[in-house]
Amino acid sequence: MTDKNSVLTDKDFSELHNDFKSAPKSDVLSRIIEQNGINQAAQDPDAQVRLNPVFSVDLQTGSVTNQKQSGRCWLFSLVNTLRHQFASKYKVKDFNLSQKYLFFWDKIERANIFYDRILATASRPADDREVENYLSFPGDDGGQWAMAAALVQKYGVVPVSDFPETANVENTGAFDIVMNRKLRIDAANLRQMVKGEKSDDEISAARKKMLSEVYRITAYSFGEPPTTVDFAYRDDDKKYHKVSGLTPKEFYAKYFDVDLDDYVVLSNSPEKDYNQLYSLPSQNNVVGGKQIQFLNLPMDVLKKATIAQLKDGETVWFGNDVLEQMDRKKGFLDSHLFRYSELFDTDLEMDKGTRLQYHQAEVSHAMTFTGVDLDGDTPTKWKVENSWGDKNGEKGYFTMNDDWMDDYVYEVVVHKKYLSDDQKTLLKQAPIELPAWDSLA
């Protein structure tokens, strides 16, 4: 290996040009790709056949939700699993819970834990890798399943009619700009107070004022959340019901038969050891709340547990890389949807572990499994409830080929009862702590 930089010369340009022009049908391919776009030229027409939206296990879950211009998919996916249970048990078609309610409390809790992290790392330089990670998106919209579960456990839930969607949650861009700026200013001030050896009382008072300002910004932007549930509805048999006077936590306890501590996140991250429990403390959002943990297992285990839960009539939250090999309008998810390697006569394939290691892959989205098509016991395709409204896919539902699950699904959330005894034992081990910049973050 030489230390010299590789300067491109006229000779290099000539060789590059000649290589390009000598490729078979280079002129034809140039015209096709230029005029039609890469995805249109690369799309496999047989995907329409592979992804026929008919499923042997198909839960009837009603109309889809729409997160619009926000990063709240992780909340929508958990809320979807809860609302489906309520709709089925109480016969209320298309019942919905307020995502904004949980989102409000996430902003307050996330600011609070951010201050903890800034103070804990105040002695490090601002360009320390962990500090940089905290400062990159301090008021981020995104999140993990355990973060949503922590909010439900602490604050309960409310029907969407009690705290409906409004402008700043449907399009969080301006709010995020303000909140990120606010938290970075607070971080700079807190770090300066530590450097200046201010007393604990002075730092505590400053932090309390900062959190009050965060609450004010959030309440102005979203409105203050309700403290009681006042909910009237007619069920599918036209019978009238009214719920009033319950706190959101009481409402959850009375109407939802879901103990979120009975569920576990199974991950498939092949660059890490299997049969190992991992934690991601850098992304926990509630001080003292539910911790983010993953039990890393082979994909066939994730599939088996997911199928079992679907067969028992319960939908499944899952984390994935939705922007890979996806046709949003058609609602297609297929690893061979766009044949880029064939189109460009270049090897563009990477295995799942390598993609995670080299930052080609990320857990960018959360959705909900609502069905699966089985050939015997073998899944061939999956029915997916998205939170992008009903104008995409089949009225908002996507069809996922089984190979896309292998390649681009990284997490599923299932009840512990679907694990073997040996797998349950793994949950008792001390988790390996993942850094803030891990591929599952």
Side-chain angles (χ1 to χ4, degrees):
M1 173 69 76
T2 178
D3 291 332
K4 293 182 179 179
N5 292 323
S6 300
V7 178
L8 290 172
T9 66
D10 288 343
K11 181 182 178 183
D12 293 320
F13 295 141
S14 179
E15 290 176 354
L16 290 169
H17 170 75
N18 291 335
D19 285 348
F20 170 68
K21 297 304 288 185
S22 66
K25 299 182 179 179
S26 62
D27 290 340
V28 173
L29 286 170
S30 291
R31 292 195 297 271
I32 291 172
I33 296 170
E34 282 185 45
Q35 295 298 316
N36 295 281
I38 292 173
N39 282 353
Q40 188 69 20
Q43 186 164 125
D44 181 0
D46 290 339
Q48 189 88 30
V49 177
R50 293 195 297 271
L51 300 174
N52 179 33
V54 179
F55 307 90
S56 56
V57 179
D58 190 353
L59 307 187
Q60 299 306 301
T61 49
S63 61
V64 299
T65 51
N66 194 343
Q67 70 188 74
K68 299 190 177 178
Q69 285 74 51
S70 72
R72 296 176 292 155
C73 58
W74 55 289
L75 285 171
F76 272 75
S77 296
L78 176 59
V79 164
N80 282 341
T81 64
L82 296 176
R83 74 187 183 95
H84 296 327
Q85 187 204 71
F86 185 97
S88 175
K89 183 175 181 179
Y90 297 102
K91 298 181 180 180
V92 188
K93 184 179 180 182
D94 296 331
F95 170 77
N96 205 356
L97 292 165
S98 172
Q99 291 86 8
K100 186 176 76 166
Y101 175 77
L102 297 173
F103 196 54
F104 178 98
W105 289 118
D106 179 62
K107 292 306 177 185
I108 309 306
E109 291 284 357
R110 200 178 295 214
N112 183 56
I113 205 168
F114 173 76
Y115 297 147
D116 275 356
R117 290 167 177 151
I118 290 301
L119 289 169
T121 57
S123 62
R124 303 185 201 174
D127 60 358
D128 172 85
R129 192 172 187 184
E130 185 176 351
V131 176
E132 278 192 330
N133 187 271
Y134 295 144
L135 294 174
S136 58
F137 296 102
D140 193 14
D141 285 0
Q144 304 269 358
W145 177 85
M147 296 166 63
L151 295 167
V152 171
Q153 288 177 328
K154 184 168 183 178
Y155 294 101
V157 294
V158 301
V160 71
S161 56
D162 279 13
F163 202 46
E165 296 280 279
T166 45
N168 289 308
V169 293
E170 292 184 338
N171 186 338
T172 59
F175 177 85
D176 289 347
I177 288 172
V178 172
M179 187 56 67
N180 281 324
R181 182 180 299 181
K182 162 66 177 162
L183 293 176
R184 289 176 182 133
I185 290 171
D186 290 348
N189 289 334
L190 288 172
R191 286 168 59 87
Q192 188 59 41
M193 291 183 77
V194 173
K195 184 178 179 181
E197 298 182 346
K198 299 295 184 182
S199 70
D200 289 347
D201 287 345
E202 288 176 299
I203 292 174
S204 179
R207 174 184 170 149
K208 186 175 181 180
K209 180 176 182 295
M210 291 171 181
L211 192 60
S212 177
E213 292 165 346
V214 166
Y215 188 95
R216 182 195 313 153
I217 292 168
T218 308
Y220 282 164
S221 301
F222 302 166
E224 279 200 287
T227 57
T228 59
V229 173
D230 293 295
F231 176 48
Y233 67 95
R234 287 191 182 275
D235 63 25
D236 298 337
D237 296 326
K238 308 303 180 184
K239 294 180 180 178
Y240 177 81
H241 304 267
K242 185 174 178 61
V243 180
S244 60
L246 297 178
T247 68
K249 285 188 71 174
E250 290 169 342
F251 176 66
Y252 181 79
K254 181 174 181 178
Y255 287 93
F256 296 86
D257 300 325
V258 180
D259 183 347
L260 295 172
D261 286 332
D262 287 338
Y263 290 77
V264 60
V265 182
L266 306 184
S267 64
N268 180 248
S269 189
E271 84 287 8
K272 300 179 181 67
D273 289 339
Y274 285 142
N275 300 309
Q276 176 63 55
L277 189 66
Y278 294 90
S279 66
L280 190 62
S282 63
Q283 286 205 348
N284 292 331
N285 61 335
V286 177
V287 176
K290 194 170 186 65
Q291 306 293 293
I292 299 172
Q293 293 187 344
F294 313 100
L295 181 57
N296 200 38
L297 296 167
M299 181 53 82
D300 65 314
V301 179
L302 275 68
K303 290 182 182 181
K304 183 179 178 180
T306 300
I307 291 168
Q309 188 159 304
L310 288 171
K311 283 184 172 181
D312 284 345
E314 184 175 351
T315 59
V316 177
W317 187 107
F318 72 101
N320 60 89
D321 204 354
V322 73
L323 298 180
E324 293 281 356
Q325 294 287 349
M326 179 267 292
D327 186 315
R328 180 174 183 140
K329 188 65 179 175
K330 295 177 181 177
F332 288 170
L333 298 164
D334 187 314
S335 290
H336 304 288
L337 182 61
F338 302 114
R339 297 183 175 269
Y340 299 127
S341 295
E342 293 178 20
L343 184 66
F344 292 109
D345 192 23
T346 301
D347 184 3
L348 296 172
E349 304 304 317
M350 301 171 74
D351 63 57
K352 191 174 191 177
T354 304
R355 284 198 307 272
L356 286 164
Q357 267 186 311
Y358 285 84
H359 303 282
Q360 175 60 29
E362 63 175 338
V363 188
S364 61
H365 193 48
M367 297 186 286
T368 310
F369 283 123
T370 65
V372 61
D373 195 38
L374 299 173
D375 182 2
D377 293 328
T378 303
T380 60
K381 58 182 182 287
W382 302 78
K383 185 178 180 182
V384 174
E385 179 182 13
N386 207 346
S387 52
W388 291 349
D390 60 7
K391 304 302 181 186
N392 302 287
E394 187 75 18
K395 295 183 178 179
Y397 288 87
F398 282 39
T399 303
M400 173 198 298
N401 204 11
D402 188 60
D403 59 3
W404 199 93
M405 183 171 186
D406 289 330
D407 289 336
Y408 301 113
V409 170
Y410 307 110
E411 304 165 11
V412 300
V413 178
V414 296
H415 197 284
K416 293 176 185 177
K417 67 184 178 183
Y418 300 113
L419 301 182
S420 69
D421 289 341
D422 287 344
Q423 290 160 356
K424 292 175 185 174
T425 300
L426 295 174
L427 297 172
K428 300 176 183 177
Q429 65 186 227
I432 295 175
E433 185 174 311
L434 298 173
W437 50 88
D438 186 81
S439 56
L440 291 179

